[in-house]
Every structure is written in C-alpha cells, then in structure tokens.
Amino acid sequence: MGGRKFRMERHRKNEERKIARPSMIVSVPRNAVTLSVGLMTIQSSAPVLHPVVQCQSTDETSTMLVSFPLSAFMQRKITSVDVLLSRLEKISLPSMWVILGGPPLVVCRMHSSQLQTTVLMSVKVTAELQWSATVLDKTVTSEMLPVLGEVPSTISAVTELCRLVDILDGVKLCIGNPDDNIVQLYHSSTYTLHSYSGHQAGYIDTALLNHRETVHHKNCKLIIHPNSRAVRCSACSTYRSTLLTQKWKRANLVARLGNIRTSYRSLLKQLERLRSRIHQDTEVKGVFLDEECNAYIKDIICLPETAKHLESLPEDSFKHIFWQQQIEAASQHSSRHMRWHPLMIRFCLSLRHKSGGAYELLRESGCIKLPSQRTLRDYTHYVQSCEGFSADVDVMLRNAVNVESCPEREKYVAILIDEMHVREDLVFDRWNGNLVGFANLGETNNHLMQLESALTDGNTAPSQAKTMVVFMIRGLFTKLQFPYAQFPCCALKGDQLYDPFWEAVGRVENCGLKVLAVTMDGSSANRKLIKLHNTSSDVTYRIANPYTAEKRFLFFISDPPHLIKTTRNCWHNRMLWNNGKYICWDQLKQFYDMDTAKAVGMRILPKLKFEHIYLTAFSKMRVDLAAQVLSESVSKALVLFCGDECNETSQFVEMMDKFFDALNVHNYSHGSQALKPFQLPYTSREDPRLKWLVECFLKYLEDWERSVVGRSGFSLAEKSNMLLSEETLYGLKMTSSCVSDGYLLKSVKALLDDKAFLMPSASATSALKMAQDLMKWMPSNDVKVKAFQNDIVELLRGCIKPIKLLTSSKKTCTRRRVKMWSSYHVVRTSQDYVDKWMAFLRDSSTLPATQLCPVFFQYVGNQIFRQLVRDECGFSLECSNLGTTEQLTYEELNALRYTAGYVPRALQKKLFKHPRQKDLQLYLNELISDGSEAVTDFSDDWLTAVNRGGLIVVNNMAFELFHTMECEFRHNIQPTGIVDNAVELILNNEDVLFLWSIISNSWDQDCSSELLERMVKLWITLRGFSLCGALMEQYKVTNKITTQKSKAMRKELG
C-alpha cells in the first residue's frame, strides 16, 4: 500500500510540472474529431465549443505533444462557479457570446447594430450551480424547448454548459409581424391591439430585426422548433390573421360608408322625383270615386273581408290553398321563412315547364307570390337523374300510385315508349365523374354494339347519342303520368329495345302494378320490336306476359295521334285508289278553293285553313291539323258539294274520323255535348264500337287491299302507291285488334343486391324470400343445382348461336341479333321453361306453390342470359383509353397556370359563410404569388400577356401541386368519363401529399385537410367540363358537323 501511494503522489507532481512548463495554444474547431499540427495530433471524443488545450513542445521545430486528454479536461467535475469560470476562460465561445463574471455566472449572446447593443439570450448559473435560460428577458422552459430537458438542472461539467450554449445558439426566433402595413395599423388603431376582454393583446419589439419594429402577440413563445419551416410562432400567426382581418374590415367599412353615402344621396333625389311625379299624375289623371265604389274597393283590399271569402271556399280546393299561401307569403318579412304547400309547388312546376321566362316574369311582377327557381329545383332534382333504371325511381313510382291502399283497378298501367332527337353534346356529371352523352342501352346491348363495330370498322369507342328513348308510365284508370327511365342511343334498332323493354315490364310488375298495354309510334325500331315477338306474317297485337302467374296478356298499341298523322300524310303524298275511284288530295284542295273563292266570309267549312291544305315539314307534324282534315264535316262536305267522284274519298275520311273518335275518349261528357256517339265513355264489353272496329273498319282495310291487289296492268310499286303505307296499315290493324356459382348463383346474388326488390310489394317480397331460401338450399344440394343449371344454360345457350357467327356485314349482324332476341323470347315464354323453374323452386323454397312468383325466375333467367351473351361472344373488347402519361407541353403548362389561379378565387367565394372562413382565406392567400419568385419553365407567359391586373397567379409550390394533380387526373380518364374514386386517388397520391405537407406545414390540420379536399374536387369538376368540351370539338372536327341550332326563321328574314 505504501508503494502505491508513493507512485500516485509522484504521478500527481509530474502532472503539475507539465502544466507549469512553457506552453502554446492550439485551437480545435467545434465538433472536430482530430486536429493535426505538424506531427502533433489532438484527439477529441466529445463535441465541444472551441476547446483551448495546453500543449508542451518537445521539439520547438517539429513535434508537439498534448499534455492530457481533451475529454478529461472538458468533463472534469466542477465544484463551484469560480472553477466553472476559470475553465470557461480556457475555451473560446461562439461568435457574439460573452462571459459576465459571477457569481452568479452569466453567459449571454449579444446583438449589436448601429444604434445599440442588446442581449438576445443568456444562460445564468447560480452559486449552487443551478442554471436558467432566457431569451429577450423571457425565461425558456423545457415545454417551450423540449431539448432542454436533456440537460441536468445542475451544472457538473463544462460540457453541460457548452451543451446549453449550443442549444440556444441554434434556436430559431419568432420574427413576429414586421410588415409595414401591420406596424402602421398597430400605431394608428389602438383597438386592434386589445382582445375582447380589453387587455392588451400585442406589443412592439425592436431587438430582433436590426431594431426594425415588429409586432408580437403577448403570448408569443419567441422560439420556433429548428426543423420547422415557419418563421413565426402559432400565437403570432393567429394574431397576424386578426390584424389582417381588421385591416380588411376597416378598408371595407370605409368603402361601404362611401357607397352608402352616395346611394343615400341618389335615393333622396329619386324619392323627390317620384313624389313630384305622383303629385302631378294625381292632379292631371286622378279620378274621384263615389261612396259606393270607394266602399267596394275597401271590401276587396280589407284583409278580414278577404278572410271571410277564403273561409267560404272548400279547404281542400286549390283556390283556398292558393289564396291562403298568398296571404301567408305577403305577411313574411323574408321569402326564406315561407313554407310552400305541395299543391302550390306542383302548380308552379307545371307553370315553369310551360315557360320558364313567363314564370320568372310573373314572379318578378309582384302581383302574386311564387317560390323561386332554386326552390323548385330542389323538388325536380330530389332524385339524381341517371341513364337507365333506378331503384329510387321505383320507390317514387310505388308511392305515387299508393299501391298498398289503392283499388285493384288503379294498378293497371300502360308503358309509353317514345324516341326524341337531342343535340349531340357531352356533359360532365360531377357527382359520379361520368361523361353524359354517350349511347347507353344497357350492358348487353353496349357489348353487342361494340362487338359489331369492332368487326365492321375496327372502332370500339362509344358513340355519341343522337336520340333519347323514354319510358313513361301512364295509369289506365287514373291520371298517373310518370317518367320512368331514359336511354341515350344512336341509330336505334328494334332488337336493341328488347332488353330494356322487358326489364321495364319486370320492374313495374315488381312494384305491384300490372302492365296491360304498351303504346309507341310507328317508327321502324318499334315495329321491329313488335315483330320480334312473333315471326309469322300475322299482325302481333298481344303477347303473354312472362312476369305474371295469372296468364295476363300484354297488348301493343300504336299511338293513335301518330296514326292519324301518317294517314293524312299518305293521303297527301300518294294517289290512293279503292273500288274504282281515286282518293286524292286534289279533291280536298278543289273544295277549299271553291269555298274560299269569294272573300265575303260565308264559308261551308270556316275552320279549314290554308295550313290544312298546303302542308310544310312543320305542319305535317301537327296532330290537330290532321284530325280537323279527317273529320265528319269534311266527309259530308265532299259528298254534298263535289259529286259522286268524291264518294270514296268521303268514305275514307269518315272511317278515319270514327276510328280516331273511338280511340280518343278522354271525357265523360264531351261525346254527349258534341253529339258524337263514338266519343261516349265505354261502359260495357259489348260496346258496338268494339264490334265496328273488327267487322267494319278492319274489313274496310282488307277489302281495300284486295281491291288494289286484284287490279291488273300495274306494277307492285304502283299498286303500293294506291294503298296506305305498310307501316300505317300495320299500326291501324294492330291497334284495332288490340282494342277489341356459375350463372345461377351469380344471378341469384344479383337479385339479392338489387334495391328494387326491397320494396314492400307482394311480388318483390316473394322474390326476395325465394332468393334467400335458394341461397341456403344450394350449398347442401350441389348435384341438383348443377344439373338444373346445366339444363337452363344449355337451353339459353341455343339462343346465342346466331351471335357467334357475326361477320363484317352490318345487315347480317342486325339480322342475327334479331334472331337471337326472338329465340330468347320464345324460350322464356315456353311452358317447358316455366315448368323447369317451378319444379326446381318447389324443392328449394319454403313458400307454397301458389306463392312462387314468376318475377323471380324471369329476373334470374334474364341475368343468366346476359352473362352468357358476354361470355359466349369470345371477343375481348379493349376500348381506347383517354388517359396519358406524356409530359405537359409548353402550351399546356401555360393553360395549367392560368387555370390554377381560378381555384383560389373560386374557393374564396364559396367559403364566404364557412365557420372558419378567416383561417381558410389566409391559407388560400399563401398559395398566391407575391411576384418575387422567378418562373423557370416559362409557364407564366400567357398569364403575363393577358393579365390586366385582375388574374390570380399561384406561387411555384402551389403550381407544382396543381401540376401533380393534373398528371394524376390524366391517369384516371376513361372513354366514358373519370373513374369513380378519382378524388380519393388524388388525395392519396404520395406526391400530392408531400407537396401539400410543405405548403401547409404551419396550418391547422383540420383546415388543411378540408381545403385540400375542396381544391381537388373543384379541380376535377373544372377538368371534367373542359374534357367534355375537348371531346366535342374533336367529334365535330372529325365528322365535319356543327351541333349548334340553326337560326329561327324570323331572324333569318330580319
């Protein structure tokens, strides 16, 4: 032990002698690991602040050695403030840091300028070696700067104090709000510096920015996290928003006061002018009323008297509701408080449908109070319109009829099918991202048409619709008129109507209604649809309804107004002949000339006008002109004044008049008032008019055909010109006769997913119950299911054989499609098909046999057939994709920056009533360029050229965000629109999220997310509409057509 103590004491003395020797100073840079000076190397194991090391030179020219390890010197334990001060004097501090003696010891950072020197931050060490840090005389805690929690509260080594100095030297300080306009506002408006409680909310500081004034909030933390990109703390940022809002409000208030002062003076002048004008008009044009007239006008104007008159009307009458609504609307201070009666809404909708301009003129006149166009739009757009069928529309139809409580006779309805021409155009639907305007007749028809187009001309792109097929439900014993579905189409053919037609019948039957008739005009597509159900040459006027178990027929009726028009046109255009005499238009024209020869007004037929005789393309479409020509009075006038040669023409007119009257019974009293027996109401099945249609009218048409066919010396074309057109004859005959895990599992699942079967009708409930029973029964009876499925699939697959043989000839394709649908109709209505389904359902369903609903197996069978059509065609359709990954061109970049500036402006208007409107407005302002950024891609050339000072220019970071959104948008374009989840795809794009995180680094998280979602939705809407316009322009250039309407005749003549 003694030797060991001796050695330790000797080592201590040697160390003291080394320190006392002549030495030199070597400065080691901060965070340095090694330092070489000649052949000397200093090792440092810990990053410190400019340590100064005492070194001894063994060779004054070449070699220097460190006396002791550097880490030991810096980490040696400190027992007092004096020791700490002595050791601090041996190291150099960072720039602008100085040491003030102690105790207490203070190490501070100075900030000097031309005016004065101030202390920015300091570290104070007490005699107990407890430290505290301050920034601008404000104590810094670990809550404000979490990294301070890593330093012990008591200084035990120089490294800990150096660590504190390093932390404070690296912090970012809040710059406050040094804007000149904010500082001026601070000095000029004392009320902006206080909170709502009256306490001071801000102060001015000059110690940071070279003694430039800056405004801080009283709760300013002064310190910002080093990794943050913000330049001010959250308190100062919020205070900045308040100050800018106050500035905007003040400027806006001054402007409003100026405008109010100007308008007040203008109104005073206008009031004086009106008073003088009323006074002059009263003196010149005024009329004195006697006591009786005065009392009468008072009775009308007096509200109690009006109320008494209102009480005399029935409460459920429209007059009572109308006047009650007018009185209530007149008493409201604001139109927003008015609640309109449903009858009033329906009246206004019908009025606006007649003429929107007249409705708005009547509403603005102030004579009566009417709901605004926006209110009516909420009712007309209650259900989102879409192509094809909708379960929501089925529910509305069921509610309109009130199926649960209505009598049985009111469930009988007819389906009206009509095709109308529409202007070719594309519209972007912002709700689902689709481009509306392409032909769409259902998935099966679309697939077949694309297959045909691919075989004939190699083009699989969807065609733009030129017409719209509308399905409408009309009550036979009620006033129900319900638009049910619409399908855009192009060059409609009869076979394409088969699938949507029978789906409409099935859905209406599923609603609890009974479809008894189908009415359509005599177009070629409609006639082919009717003939498709019966390939024989006989007239098809009724077919069995496969969706009913009661063997109810479905009748085809040709539209009588259309028949009367085509009959008149045949009379006008052809040289008709019957029983040896001509039925020609010239005979009517001669009578008209004779009747109008003298201009004294005494005429036989005063209603026969020039428009009835000399037809134009427009007048040929008017039903009233055709009905007035083919009338009883014209028939009798021809017999009486034109001689025997017009007897056949007179009989022809008389027959058509009676036919139209028999099918135009729309009023109980009109027939008796007009003394026309053919327009009396039908009250019996034995009505003589029904017998007349079969025995007289149909016999007249058959005799006419036999008379022309038996005429010799004429060709077939000449004989055809002596008869009514084939289409008109077919329609007349038809209407007259009418008046007298595999496919099965997928199809059952489709029925369970169809919302149309969720309504509480008897057929829908039975079908849904059968589907649920079948899904439970199928897993345990796999052999029976497969056997039945194979039978049904093979039975339906035989109908698809014609489709497999499609060629490049369009006529062949059409014939084979017609043959496919005709074969399918024969199969689905055959007794063998029904028996197979009934036998299968008796085993699988818990319902009794009497409740097995044909709606179920017809729906499932139809789904199987559609799937077979798609699978058996053996052709993969690859539609052209509009999406692109190409880089944007110079022109597109300029258009992108121009359009990007519209987004902040549009959102500023939309967010006017938002609860956090102030914050969102300020965030949007940060997307706008301040003009100091340079644009390197020349994307602002167009914006600079057209900007007159009112356009918004986004900054480079925001432009990069819109550029990324545009690229992602282009990836998600489809031939018929945009993918459904385009918004989610853009919002989840990594590049978009990264750029937005940089832009919104210091923003509120909720506001940031909401603002980004609004920007993406608005951008998709803008690009969707512009995409429609681009496709339409490309279509017009390709087809060399214009879709604009031609000018009206009066404009051309003017």
Side-chain angles (χ1 to χ4, degrees):
M1 294 294 294
R4 183 177 179 183
K5 289 183 178 180
F6 175 76
R7 287 194 299 271
M8 291 179 62
E9 182 67 21
R10 185 177 59 180
H11 178 72
R12 185 181 61 79
K13 291 181 178 180
N14 289 337
E15 291 295 327
E16 291 178 353
R17 288 193 212 101
K18 290 179 181 179
I19 295 176
R21 290 176 185 174
S23 60
M24 64 179 297
I25 297 177
V26 179
S27 180
V28 182
R30 184 192 305 175
N31 300 331
V33 178
T34 61
L35 175 68
S36 298
V37 181
L39 299 177
M40 182 193 72
T41 301
I42 299 176
Q43 299 291 339
S44 174
S45 61
V48 294
L49 288 171
H50 300 285
V52 178
V53 185
Q54 300 289 338
C55 302
Q56 180 182 5
S57 175
T58 58
D59 187 349
E60 294 183 356
T61 60
S62 60
T63 307
M64 301 179 67
L65 298 176
V66 178
S67 300
F68 58 89
L70 183 62
S71 58
F73 172 76
M74 298 299 296
Q75 297 178 0
R76 183 175 294 178
K77 186 175 181 181
I78 295 173
T79 58
S80 64
V81 175
D82 296 334
V83 176
L84 177 61
L85 178 60
S86 63
R87 292 184 181 178
L88 283 178
E89 290 175 350
K90 296 178 182 180
I91 65 174
S92 62
L93 297 175
S95 176
M96 301 304 295
W97 283 84
V98 297
I99 303 174
L100 301 180
L105 175 64
V106 179
V107 182
C108 58
R109 178 183 175 182
M110 310 303 293
H111 177 72
S112 61
S113 63
Q114 297 177 356
L115 299 178
Q116 61 181 358
T117 300
T118 57
V119 178
L120 278 184
M121 54 189 69
S122 63
V123 178
K124 180 180 179 181
V125 183
T126 63
E128 293 79 13
L129 296 179
Q130 299 287 330
W131 64 268
S132 62
T134 59
V135 174
L136 291 177
D137 297 331
K138 183 175 287 189
T139 302
V140 182
T141 63
S142 58
E143 295 179 356
M144 300 169 59
L145 197 59
V147 72
L148 290 179
E150 302 174 2
V151 181
S153 60
T154 302
I155 299 295
S156 61
V158 178
T159 54
E160 294 174 356
L161 183 60
C162 294
R163 173 64 174 162
L164 278 174
V165 174
D166 265 343
I167 291 173
L168 293 179
D169 192 57
V171 299
K172 293 173 60 178
L173 299 181
C174 173
I175 67 170
N177 299 283
D179 309 65
D180 294 337
N181 54 357
I182 294 181
V183 174
Q184 292 174 4
L185 182 67
Y186 185 94
H187 287 298
S188 61
S189 305
T190 57
Y191 67 90
T192 59
L193 310 178
H194 295 79
S195 62
Y196 292 105
S197 60
H199 301 289
Q200 186 174 358
Y203 64 92
I204 282 186
D205 180 50
T206 59
L208 279 178
L209 306 176
N210 293 326
H211 299 281
R212 179 183 171 187
E213 291 184 337
T214 180
V215 180
H216 287 275
H217 192 265
K218 69 174 183 178
N219 297 328
C220 177
K221 298 179 181 179
L222 291 176
I223 294 178
I224 305 175
H225 194 278
N227 297 330
S228 175
R229 297 175 59 91
V231 296
R232 58 182 60 85
C233 64
S234 59
C236 289
S237 296
T238 306
Y239 192 47
R240 179 185 182 87
S241 304
T242 304
L243 293 175
L244 291 176
T245 304
Q246 291 289 352
K247 178 188 173 185
W248 175 80
K249 286 184 176 180
R250 184 179 181 185
N252 193 21
L253 182 61
V254 172
R256 288 178 60 188
L257 288 175
N259 295 335
I260 290 174
R261 189 179 296 108
T262 303
S263 60
Y264 177 72
R265 294 172 182 172
S266 176
L267 289 174
L268 284 178
K269 294 179 181 179
Q270 184 179 359
L271 180 61
E272 291 298 330
R273 288 195 301 266
L274 291 175
R275 285 177 176 174
S276 61
R277 184 175 178 180
I278 291 173
H279 181 72
Q280 293 176 2
D281 290 347
T282 303
E283 293 292 336
V284 177
K285 301 179 181 179
V287 177
F288 288 96
L289 299 177
D290 54 20
E291 294 182 359
E292 184 179 356
C293 292
N294 186 33
Y296 179 72
I297 292 178
K298 282 185 177 181
D299 290 340
I300 295 176
I301 299 176
C302 185
L303 188 60
E305 296 295 332
T306 305
K308 290 181 180 179
H309 177 69
L310 188 62
E311 292 176 357
S312 63
L313 298 174
E315 291 186 2
D316 57 347
S317 65
F318 179 72
K319 290 182 180 180
H320 183 277
I321 295 173
F322 177 82
W323 285 113
Q324 188 179 28
Q325 291 274 284
Q326 293 302 305
I327 295 172
E328 184 179 353
S331 62
Q332 297 291 345
H333 297 288
S334 174
S335 59
R336 291 177 294 182
H337 301 160
M338 183 61 191
R339 296 296 178 264
W340 296 98
H341 194 276
L343 285 180
M344 193 69 184
I345 293 294
R346 291 183 180 180
F347 169 73
C348 294
L349 287 175
S350 61
L351 186 61
R352 191 192 66 168
H353 180 69
K354 293 293 183 182
S355 175
Y359 178 82
E360 196 63 26
L361 180 64
L362 186 62
R363 181 175 174 270
E364 293 178 354
S365 65
C367 298
I368 59 175
K369 299 290 184 178
L370 298 175
S372 64
Q373 299 264 18
R374 185 66 180 83
T375 302
L376 298 181
R377 188 182 183 278
D378 292 339
Y379 288 91
T380 56
H381 292 72
Y382 178 74
V383 175
Q384 184 179 354
S385 60
C386 61
E387 303 165 351
F389 302 101
S390 170
D392 295 333
V393 177
D394 292 342
V395 174
M396 292 182 63
L397 173 61
R398 183 177 174 83
N399 295 335
V401 181
N402 196 11
V403 177
E404 289 80 3
S405 60
C406 69
E408 190 68 19
R409 68 176 185 278
E410 294 183 1
K411 296 181 180 180
Y412 286 94
V413 296
I415 296 180
L416 279 64
I417 304 176
D418 196 10
E419 182 183 11
M420 60 186 70
H421 285 271
V422 295
R423 189 177 68 177
E424 298 174 72
D425 201 355
L426 293 178
V427 178
F428 177 69
D429 187 355
R430 60 179 181 173
W431 301 109
N432 53 28
N434 292 334
L435 298 182
V436 180
F438 291 115
N440 183 10
L441 279 167
E443 186 178 356
T444 304
N445 280 319
N446 294 341
H447 186 85
L448 293 175
M449 292 306 298
Q450 290 177 356
L451 174 61
E452 180 181 336
S453 299
L455 294 175
T456 53
D457 52 16
N459 182 20
T460 59
S463 303
Q464 291 193 19
K466 298 181 180 179
T467 57
M468 182 76 74
V469 177
V470 180
F471 288 76
M472 186 172 181
I473 309 300
R474 180 71 184 267
L476 295 179
F477 302 101
T478 61
K479 295 183 179 180
L480 176 67
Q481 297 180 5
F482 191 88
Y484 187 60
Q486 58 277 345
F487 294 89
C489 54
C490 177
L492 180 67
K493 297 179 176 62
D495 61 282
Q496 297 172 347
L497 275 176
Y498 181 88
D499 193 34
F501 164 69
W502 280 111
E503 184 173 356
V505 174
R507 296 178 76 99
V508 174
E509 292 278 350
N510 185 52
C511 290
L513 303 179
K514 298 182 178 181
V515 183
L516 195 61
V518 179
T519 302
M520 59 190 77
D521 58 24
S523 64
S524 59
N526 295 334
R527 287 185 283 107
K528 288 181 180 179
L529 171 66
I530 298 171
K531 293 181 179 179
L532 187 145
H533 294 83
N534 187 3
T535 56
S536 63
S537 58
D538 297 336
V539 176
T540 303
Y541 68 92
R542 70 175 188 180
I543 55 174
N545 188 347
Y547 288 95
T548 63
E550 56 195 43
K551 304 299 181 182
R552 181 167 16 98
F553 285 102
L554 186 66
F555 295 88
F556 290 113
I557 301 176
S558 186
D559 185 21
H562 182 80
L563 288 177
I564 209 71
K565 285 191 300 183
T566 56
T567 302
R568 188 273 316 272
N569 295 338
C570 290
W571 183 19
H572 176 267
N573 299 329
R574 299 179 175 225
M575 186 63 68
L576 305 179
W577 185 90
N578 188 17
N579 291 333
K581 294 182 180 180
Y582 283 98
I583 306 172
C584 59
W585 189 260
D586 290 339
Q587 296 171 349
L588 180 63
K589 188 183 297 183
Q590 291 175 4
F591 173 78
Y592 172 76
D593 293 339
M594 178 193 68
D595 196 23
T596 58
K598 296 181 180 180
V600 294
M602 298 296 294
R603 296 184 52 192
I604 301 298
L605 296 176
K607 292 184 179 181
L608 196 63
K609 306 292 184 181
F610 180 86
E611 292 79 10
H612 293 85
I613 307 301
Y614 299 95
L615 301 179
T616 62
F618 178 74
S619 60
K620 288 181 180 180
M621 302 299 296
R622 291 180 57 180
V623 180
D624 58 340
L625 297 182
Q628 290 166 0
V629 167
L630 296 173
S631 62
E632 183 182 7
S633 57
V634 172
S635 172
K636 293 181 177 180
L638 290 174
V639 172
L640 186 60
F641 296 101
C642 295
D644 295 338
E645 62 181 11
C646 296
N647 288 344
E648 198 60 37
T649 305
S650 175
Q651 185 182 6
F652 166 74
V653 174
E654 181 182 3
M655 284 289 185
M656 293 302 159
D657 175 64
K658 291 181 178 179
F659 170 79
F660 189 67
D661 286 348
L663 299 179
N664 192 32
V665 180
H666 61 279
N667 194 297
Y668 284 102
S669 59
H670 179 73
S672 59
Q673 292 176 356
L675 300 178
K676 300 193 72 172
F678 271 74
Q679 287 191 348
L680 293 173
Y682 288 90
T683 58
S684 172
R685 293 184 178 181
E686 306 299 329
D687 194 288
R689 286 169 291 183
L690 302 178
K691 186 177 181 180
W692 176 87
L693 285 172
V694 177
E695 297 181 357
C696 296
F697 186 73
L698 287 179
K699 186 175 181 302
Y700 170 76
L701 296 178
E702 294 172 357
D703 293 343
W704 189 355
E705 287 186 86
R706 285 196 294 268
S707 175
V708 172
V709 172
R711 194 177 185 187
S712 59
F714 295 92
S715 63
L716 293 177
E718 292 174 337
K719 290 181 179 180
S720 176
N721 198 41
M722 299 178 187
L723 291 169
L724 296 175
S725 63
E726 181 182 354
E727 298 83 1
T728 304
L729 282 173
Y730 191 90
L732 291 172
K733 293 179 181 179
M734 180 183 66
T735 304
S736 300
S737 302
C738 178
V739 175
S740 65
D741 214 334
Y743 297 111
L744 182 61
L745 181 61
K746 291 181 180 178
S747 302
V748 174
K749 287 183 177 179
L751 186 144
L752 291 172
D753 295 336
D754 197 333
K755 295 181 180 179
F757 289 91
L758 297 180
M759 59 183 63
S761 65
S763 57
T765 304
S766 300
L768 193 60
K769 176 64 176 174
M770 293 163 66
Q772 294 171 350
D773 293 344
L774 189 59
M775 291 296 294
K776 296 177 182 178
W777 182 80
M778 287 170 65
S780 59
N781 297 271
D782 188 60
V783 177
K784 293 182 179 181
V785 171
K786 287 185 177 180
F788 172 74
Q789 178 179 290
N790 292 334
D791 290 344
I792 294 297
V793 169
E794 289 301 323
L795 195 61
L796 296 177
R797 184 177 280 121
C799 305
I800 309 175
K801 290 182 180 179
I803 287 295
K804 296 182 179 180
L805 304 175
L806 288 180
T807 63
S808 58
S809 173
K810 289 189 175 182
K811 291 184 177 180
T812 305
C813 291
T814 303
R815 286 198 301 268
R816 288 177 177 172
R817 285 204 319 271
V818 171
K819 187 175 181 180
M820 179 195 73
W821 289 115
S822 179
S823 302
Y824 173 57
H825 183 73
V826 172
V827 169
R828 74 184 300 187
T829 55
S830 63
Q831 190 62 39
D832 181 43
Y833 181 80
V834 175
D835 293 342
K836 286 184 178 181
W837 271 105
M838 296 298 288
F840 178 70
L841 292 176
R842 289 191 193 100
D843 297 335
S844 61
S845 179
T846 58
L847 293 176
T850 56
Q851 296 183 13
L852 296 179
C853 180
V855 172
F856 170 78
F857 62 77
Q858 288 292 345
Y859 179 91
V860 176
N862 196 30
Q863 294 292 329
I864 294 175
F865 183 75
R866 291 178 178 180
Q867 187 66 31
L868 282 172
V869 170
R870 292 191 294 269
D871 294 347
E872 295 293 328
C873 284
F875 183 80
S876 178
L877 296 175
E878 297 181 358
C879 297
S880 59
N881 193 353
L882 299 177
T884 178
T885 58
E886 298 179 357
Q887 295 184 354
L888 272 65
T889 62
Y890 167 74
E891 292 79 7
E892 290 176 328
L893 288 174
N894 276 268
L896 177 63
R897 188 175 285 271
Y898 179 90
T899 310
Y902 170 78
V903 175
R905 170 167 290 179
L907 289 178
Q908 284 176 351
K909 295 180 180 179
K910 291 184 177 182
L911 297 172
F912 182 72
K913 295 183 179 180
H914 196 276
R916 303 192 64 177
Q917 181 254 350
K918 297 180 181 179
D919 296 336
L920 294 175
Q921 292 281 7
L922 290 173
Y923 295 160
L924 286 173
N925 290 335
E926 295 190 19
L927 300 177
I928 301 174
S929 174
D930 57 359
S932 60
E933 295 180 326
V935 180
T936 59
D937 56 359
F938 305 101
S939 61
D940 63 338
D941 292 350
W942 171 247
L943 196 60
T944 305
V946 299
N947 192 2
R948 296 192 296 271
L951 298 179
I952 290 181
V953 184
V954 297
N955 55 38
N956 289 341
M957 188 61 67
F959 176 73
E960 189 66 27
L961 173 67
F962 283 107
H963 186 279
T964 307
M965 289 165 53
E966 172 64 16
C967 294
E968 183 65 23
F969 172 83
R970 295 190 178 200
H971 294 165
N972 299 303
I973 301 177
Q974 294 178 340
T976 57
I978 308 170
V979 295
D980 296 337
N981 58 340
V983 176
E984 288 76 9
L985 291 175
I986 296 179
L987 287 175
N988 296 327
N989 184 275
E990 295 182 358
D991 296 335
V992 172
L993 294 176
F994 173 73
L995 292 171
W996 187 249
S997 65
I998 296 176
I999 295 174
S1000 61
N1001 186 24
S1002 60
W1003 298 359
D1004 180 78
Q1005 186 66 27
D1006 295 336
C1007 290
S1008 173
S1009 302
E1010 180 182 357
L1011 189 59
L1012 178 61
E1013 184 177 357
R1014 285 177 176 268
M1015 289 174 58
V1016 171
K1017 288 182 178 179
L1018 181 58
W1019 184 255
I1020 289 179
T1021 301
L1022 290 173
R1023 292 294 289 112
F1025 283 107
S1026 62
L1027 177 63
C1028 289
L1031 292 177
M1032 278 306 302
E1033 291 302 314
Q1034 184 180 6
Y1035 173 75
K1036 289 186 284 188
V1037 171
T1038 304
N1039 296 277
K1040 301 295 187 296
I1041 61 173
T1042 177
T1043 58
Q1044 293 182 351
K1045 294 182 179 180
S1046 59
K1047 292 168 57 177
M1049 182 182 296
R1050 59 183 179 185
K1051 290 186 177 180
E1052 292 182 352
L1053 295 177

